[in-house]
Amino acid sequence: MHILVLGAGVVGVTTAWFLRKQGHEVTVVDRQSKAGLETSYANGGQISVSHAQPWANPSAPLKILRWLTQPDAPLLFRPSLDPAQWRWGLSFLMQCTSARAAHNLRQIVNLGTYSRNQLQAVRQETGIEYDQLEKGILHFYTNPKEFEGALEPARLMRELGCDRQVIDAARAVELEPALAPIRERIAGATYTSEDESGDARKFTQGLARKAEEAGVTFLYGTEILGFDRTRDRILGVQTLREGHHEMLRADAYVLSLGSFSAVLARKLGLFLNIYPAKGYSITVPVKNEDAAFKVSLTDDEYKLVFSRLGDRIRVAGTAELSGYSRNLDYTRCRAIVRRTAEVMPDAAYWDKAEFWSGLRPATPSNVPYIGKSHFGNLYLNTGHGTLGWTHSCGSAAAITDIISGRRPDVDFSFIGF
């Protein structure tokens, strides 16, 4: 078939790659000048199967209430008159039961494990270099209550095959000596040796080049305006490129536009409960090689992830539910720098931090939409939230199987399948 993929972030590009490998003719459309320039541009960099505890869990409502008055809070809800925001928030609260959180964790772990295996296969096949490290991910806790709260999710993850081991402060510093300055403050930690890290933008752009060499067509600088449709099928996509309107037609379509998937879907009368969770990151040059970490880290109390990308350090996190603006809130930026410099003061030139924000396409459950829509030839691969990089290759392989009429080889609740 000829398949049109809408979106050239890490999810759209991996989808195009897997579809092309199955013999489909593939065209990718994106408004940017090249691949990976929006949410994939400067994200946290972790391939983190172990980062599977949903935001919506029994402890979340009280935390969010406490954070409402904190401008640098890890998860900040900025109330507006947007009905989509309130609908998302109410759905989030409904996902906060123990039963729903356990169900969603299972979905996230299963897809993450499958996806990490698919990424490793792509890396072996293509030889793409993207500052990848296979040294695991270490979650550390400086708040004893946060550590205690992580024990049950870690146990559930181990039952599901994600080997997230509980360790003490001494073992954490042994694995990552860069944590030595805060050793006395570490209440506990977990370590998942099979997790990885790497630059999502480098990977996305490298895979886009490989896909282009394999015959995939990329239409950059192309704005997607809407659809031509019948009652149950998509007939084409209306686009604007260099001032010219064009209708792009294909046999099937894959919606992978991140946070903007919900906006476009509404034009079809299709409701996707996706809302942008603005995240922030800093990228900083390494100052002292001995003081800089190599094992990827997660500071669960502050909701920050640390990845080593060659001679750079990337720290990303926090979530702000405030609409589609990407304006930087420097209070939140400085909070990331302050916490990171506190953890490892001599690791990097903290005064040279480059700030960035991106819109993560969050669902209330943290479980993405993967599968068929009620339009016979429109497929969904979107809503991955903070785990788009982690889940990209697995969701791409899965949607390719679904389009090709096969059941994906992963235990996951696919839409319409």
Side-chain angles (χ1 to χ4, degrees), residues 51-67 75 88-105 108 141 145-146 148-154 156-157 164 300 303 363-366:
H51 202 85
Q53 184 176 15
W55 292 353
N57 60 71
S59 68
L62 285 178
K63 286 183 179 179
I64 293 170
L65 281 174
R66 188 172 69 249
W67 289 336
L75 178 58
W88 190 96
L90 290 172
S91 298
F92 177 89
L93 291 175
M94 292 174 65
Q95 295 290 330
C96 287
T97 66
S98 296
R100 292 307 305 168
H103 170 80
N104 295 333
L105 184 147
I108 294 166
Y141 301 83
K145 288 185 178 179
E146 290 287 335
E148 290 171 14
L151 298 180
E152 178 61 14
L156 288 172
M157 290 178 208
R164 186 175 171 183
D300 264 336
K303 307 304 180 196
T363 64
S365 64
N366 287 160

Side-chain angles (χ1 to χ4, degrees), residues 19 61 93 109 127 169 181 185 187 219 228 252 373 395:
L19 286 168
L93 291 175
V109 169
R185 296 171 53 198
L219 299 179
D228 183 19
S373 76
S395 61

Side-chain angles (χ1 to χ4, degrees), residues 154-413:
R155 185 190 66 78
L156 288 172
M157 290 178 208
R158 289 194 298 275
E159 285 186 358
L160 294 168
C162 174
D163 191 23
R164 186 175 171 183
Q165 296 297 318
V166 178
I167 59 177
D168 60 15
R171 178 58 176 153
V173 174
E174 182 183 343
L175 287 166
E176 182 43 78
L179 290 174
I182 61 165
R183 175 175 179 164
E184 299 306 316
R185 296 171 53 198
I186 295 176
T190 68
Y191 178 62
T192 311
S193 62
E194 294 182 325
D195 278 346
E196 304 182 4
S197 60
D199 190 322
R201 173 171 33 121
K202 282 189 175 182
F203 174 84
T204 303
Q205 293 178 353
L207 190 62
R209 288 191 293 271
K210 294 287 185 181
E212 213 163 12
E213 291 169 5
V216 174
T217 300
F218 285 84
L219 299 179
Y220 294 120
T222 303
E223 187 178 354
I224 299 164
L225 302 178
F227 297 94
D228 183 19
R229 51 170 283 199
T230 62
R231 186 173 60 85
D232 59 356
R233 289 187 69 79
I234 304 301
L235 301 178
V237 174
Q238 303 167 27
T239 64
L240 181 65
R241 186 183 190 196
E242 297 180 348
H244 298 285
H245 289 267
E246 185 179 0
M247 184 70 71
L248 302 178
R249 301 191 186 276
D251 300 309
Y253 305 81
V254 182
L255 184 57
S256 295
L257 285 171
S259 296
F260 296 93
S261 295
V263 177
L264 196 62
R266 280 200 293 269
K267 297 184 178 183
L268 294 169
L270 178 63
F271 171 66
L272 300 179
N273 201 0
I274 296 171
Y275 198 78
K278 181 162 64 174
Y280 291 83
S281 77
I282 63 170
T283 305
V284 193
V286 170
K287 177 182 178 182
N288 182 340
E289 190 69 34
D290 293 332
F293 63 93
K294 293 184 176 63
V295 174
S296 195
L297 305 171
T298 297
D299 182 350
D300 264 336
E301 182 180 355
Y302 287 79
K303 307 304 180 196
L304 297 176
V305 300
F306 301 60
S307 293
R308 179 69 181 273
L309 306 175
D311 59 358
R312 302 166 296 150
I313 285 174
R314 170 78 47 76
V315 186
T318 80
E320 182 182 324
L321 298 168
S322 57
Y324 286 82
S325 168
R326 286 189 54 195
N327 293 341
L328 289 173
D329 181 332
Y330 285 95
T331 298
R332 298 177 74 74
C333 294
R334 287 190 289 268
I336 296 176
V337 175
R338 185 169 59 250
R339 173 61 173 177
T340 312
E342 177 187 314
V343 171
M344 46 190 71
D346 300 321
Y349 295 98
W350 301 115
D351 58 335
K352 296 182 179 179
E354 296 177 5
F355 300 134
W356 175 85
S357 70
L359 302 178
R360 308 185 192 103
T363 64
S365 64
N366 287 160
V367 178
Y369 290 95
I370 306 170
K372 302 176 180 179
S373 76
H374 67 261
F375 291 92
N377 60 341
L378 176 65
Y379 297 85
L380 308 174
N381 192 10
T382 189
H384 296 74
T386 59
L387 295 174
W389 179 206
T390 296
H391 288 164
S392 58
C393 287
S395 61
I399 199 65
T400 296
D401 282 342
I402 289 170
I403 292 171
S404 302
R406 297 187 297 270
R407 177 78 192 182
D409 188 24
V410 55
D411 182 9
F412 185 84
S413 297

